[in-house]
Amino acid sequence: MSPMKSQNVSRLVLASGVGAVVAATALLYLPELRGGDGPPRRPGPVERAVDAARAGAPAALPDLTALVRDREGWLREHPDDGASWAVLGAAYAERGVRLGDVRDLPRAERALNRSLAELPAARGNVDAQLGLGALAAARGDWKAAKEWGERARKAAPRRWTVYPPLIEAYGGLGDRPAAWKAMERLEELHGGAVVRGLAAQTYRDRGWREDADATALDAAALAGTDAERAEAYARLGRFAWERGEPAEALERYGAALRSVPDHGPSLAGRARALAALGRTAEARREWRAAVARQPLPEYVLESGELAEALGADGEAQAAYERLRGGRWASGSTEVVRGLLDADHGDPAGAAARLRAAWTGGHRSAAVADALGWALHRAAGPGGSEEGLRYARRAVDEGPRSASYTYHLGEIERALGRTGPARRHLAEALRIHPSFSPLHAPRARTALAELGEPDPDAVPEDALEARPAGGRGAGVKSRAGAGN
């Protein structure tokens, strides 16, 4: 196993984290739901939500909502039930993340604090602590998420549900060794679709694409419910998309949507893939459906950039203003808003906010990439040496990303480093020729403007020392990496 490398928050990882918290808490009242010695009956929506939680899997949204209503009703009659307050708080947090509905987050906070009031942490209330960690992650507060997660782990080190949200928190802070150790421990404690999916994410972040895909296929094979299968095939779709294979991504997202027809990440993935395949009218319809179903900031930005690329400036500006003015249940908000303002608004303001996030400990590859890009855009035509340092770090420490590599190439081009710029712009387009409807054409134009290299010139790369620890573009698997 290798250290986890981090990018912007994966919705699949975040859903796994809060789903594991629901798993931990829902088990506390399982006998109440299953009680009785009569013959087995077909489970209702609340029982289905609990069954999903037992596997650490996401519940279907109607079942999750039924769970919320069930606990709300129970707590009206039993307000001193600290365990059920923890269940309710965790369910609110999961629903808020999956619907992108910020209104659920204060509900989650009140319920979880009430849980601790009824059953303090000192008396063993690990579940409320896990819920507060998941809530902090939903708000992008990775430091608080880490603190709550580590408290829970100290109290219950053998409880597997402690580890997915903790892995996510370490990723948000850019602490790859800690994320790696937590992932190793999780695999020692538990198996199944959720853990195999997180392992696939780890391999993907490392750059081991073949291992990531094989492990993600394992997770799909182990999926026991429609919701689990949708998550698994959405992950496979995202991996195919990142390899620059939009047709395969479309097929995999289709498999996810056959399991859960309104699965938000898969609707968004279909929209990306359709745009890359030139089916732009369908892509715009899919983006509208995705944003209506799960209004996450990254979806709003991507839908706006597709509209801008197609010349629908009014639609694009409406999306950008929605993103600026909205409140979001998403750990990726700071990065997405930074990229929005770097490209479509106030680069200096974006750089200042992202620098504050970096100083505050949010040191993932995603923050490094966004900060480097914002510094470059704020510097104007002359480029930014400081921005270059952050962009290099994102490429060296993050997943193999066409977007990160494009940003690095453009910063190098602005600084007059034509050799590295030409190499990185070409690499971005090799990784994914249609990585963005707005930025991929700009990458092709920039590469054409650089022209062919001078065969007699000394390569600029030979004059620069690259940062240690870079992964290298050719690493495809653990075997190829020499591990």
Side-chain angles (χ1 to χ4, degrees):
M1 183 69 61
S2 66
M4 173 177 285
K5 309 241 174 153
S6 168
Q7 63 159 358
N8 56 316
V9 177
S10 163
R11 308 308 307 167
L12 296 172
V13 176
L14 185 54
S16 297
V18 292
V21 174
V22 175
T25 56
L27 294 179
L28 295 172
Y29 70 96
L30 184 62
E32 171 201 323
L33 294 173
R34 297 293 199 190
D37 297 324
R41 58 185 177 84
R42 187 174 183 176
V46 177
E47 287 100 336
R48 289 197 300 269
V50 172
D51 286 343
R54 293 189 72 172
L61 275 167
D63 295 348
L64 183 63
T65 297
L67 175 62
V68 167
R69 290 174 180 164
D70 177 85
R71 289 300 89 188
E72 287 173 337
W74 172 264
L75 286 163
R76 280 192 288 271
E77 302 296 327
H78 305 86
D80 59 348
D81 184 351
S84 282
W85 281 113
V87 172
L88 181 60
Y92 278 142
E94 180 172 357
R95 189 174 69 175
V97 165
R98 289 174 61 188
L99 291 176
D101 189 349
V102 73
R103 295 172 299 178
D104 268 333
L105 302 191
R107 295 173 186 140
E109 185 171 21
R110 289 192 295 270
L112 292 163
N113 284 333
R114 179 65 181 270
S115 177
L116 286 174
E118 299 293 343
L119 180 64
R123 289 169 50 198
N125 192 351
V126 175
D127 306 295
Q129 297 176 71
L130 279 173
L132 286 165
L135 176 62
R139 289 170 165 164
D141 186 351
W142 303 116
K143 183 177 179 181
K146 171 190 170 184
E147 290 171 356
W148 284 114
E150 288 183 341
R151 289 182 197 178
R153 181 176 60 184
K154 183 176 180 181
R158 295 192 60 80
R159 183 182 293 188
W160 77 267
T161 53
V162 168
Y163 292 89
L166 194 53
I167 291 166
E168 181 197 2
Y170 288 139
L173 293 170
D175 189 346
R176 294 169 289 140
W180 166 47
K181 290 179 183 177
M183 185 69 230
E184 280 192 325
R185 182 59 175 150
L186 173 60
E187 289 192 296
E188 292 170 0
L189 293 171
H190 195 70
V194 170
V195 174
R196 296 309 290 159
L198 286 171
Q201 179 73 21
T202 302
Y203 296 148
R204 170 260 184 196
D205 291 343
R206 177 66 172 169
W208 297 341
R209 290 183 165 181
E210 293 176 1
D211 298 281
D213 208 57
T215 307
L217 284 166
D218 289 344
L222 291 168
T225 66
D226 286 344
E228 279 189 275
R229 278 186 286 275
E231 293 289 318
Y233 279 101
R235 181 183 297 108
L236 285 163
R238 184 162 55 88
F239 289 177
W241 165 258
E242 291 173 346
R243 292 195 304 269
E245 299 173 359
E248 183 175 348
L250 193 63
E251 181 179 341
R252 288 175 165 186
Y253 286 124
L257 290 165
R258 285 191 290 276
S259 293
V260 178
D262 62 348
H263 189 248
S266 297
L267 291 170
R270 271 183 56 85
R272 288 188 201 102
L274 288 166
L277 293 168
R279 296 162 61 179
T280 54
E282 294 173 83
R284 291 173 76 178
R285 286 196 298 271
E286 291 287 338
W287 271 127
R288 284 192 287 271
V291 171
R293 170 63 184 75
Q294 190 172 13
L296 297 176
E298 53 266 44
Y299 297 172
V300 176
L301 178 59
E302 289 182 72
S303 67
E305 290 191 337
L306 174 61
E308 183 177 342
L310 296 174
D313 292 340
E315 183 180 337
Q317 290 305 316
Y320 300 155
E321 289 308 312
R322 179 180 180 182
L323 180 51
R324 289 190 181 96
R327 296 171 62 234
W328 308 96
S330 172
S332 64
T333 301
E334 68 185 3
V335 167
V336 176
R337 280 184 168 160
L339 293 171
L340 169 72
D341 281 338
D343 281 319
H344 310 287
D346 177 14
R353 292 194 306 276
L354 289 162
R355 192 192 300 279
W358 186 269
T359 302
H362 292 196
R363 298 191 174 185
S364 67
V367 175
D369 168 70
L371 176 53
W373 187 241
L375 288 165
H376 158 71
R377 296 281 293 173
S384 169
E385 290 284 352
E386 185 184 14
L388 178 63
R389 291 195 294 274
Y390 286 108
R392 281 178 169 171
R393 179 163 179 163
V395 168
D396 286 338
E397 296 187 356
R400 192 169 184 233
S401 163
S403 179
Y404 292 2
T405 309
Y406 163 68
H407 286 162
L408 176 58
E410 283 283 40
I411 294 170
E412 290 167 332
R413 186 168 76 105
L415 291 167
R417 304 184 182 195
T418 56
R422 185 184 292 108
R423 179 167 61 83
H424 286 122
L425 290 169
E427 183 182 349
L429 293 167
R430 281 195 302 272
I431 293 170
H432 197 319
S434 303
F435 66 90
S436 161
L438 195 61
H439 299 293
R442 293 175 179 175
R444 285 191 287 273
T445 299
L447 187 60
E449 290 175 353
L450 286 171
E452 295 297 323
D454 180 352
D456 297 323
V458 177
E460 292 175 56
D461 292 40
L463 304 177
E464 296 184 357
R466 297 290 289 147
R471 185 180 56 251
V475 176
K476 300 294 183 183
S477 68
R478 284 174 288 173
N483 288 288

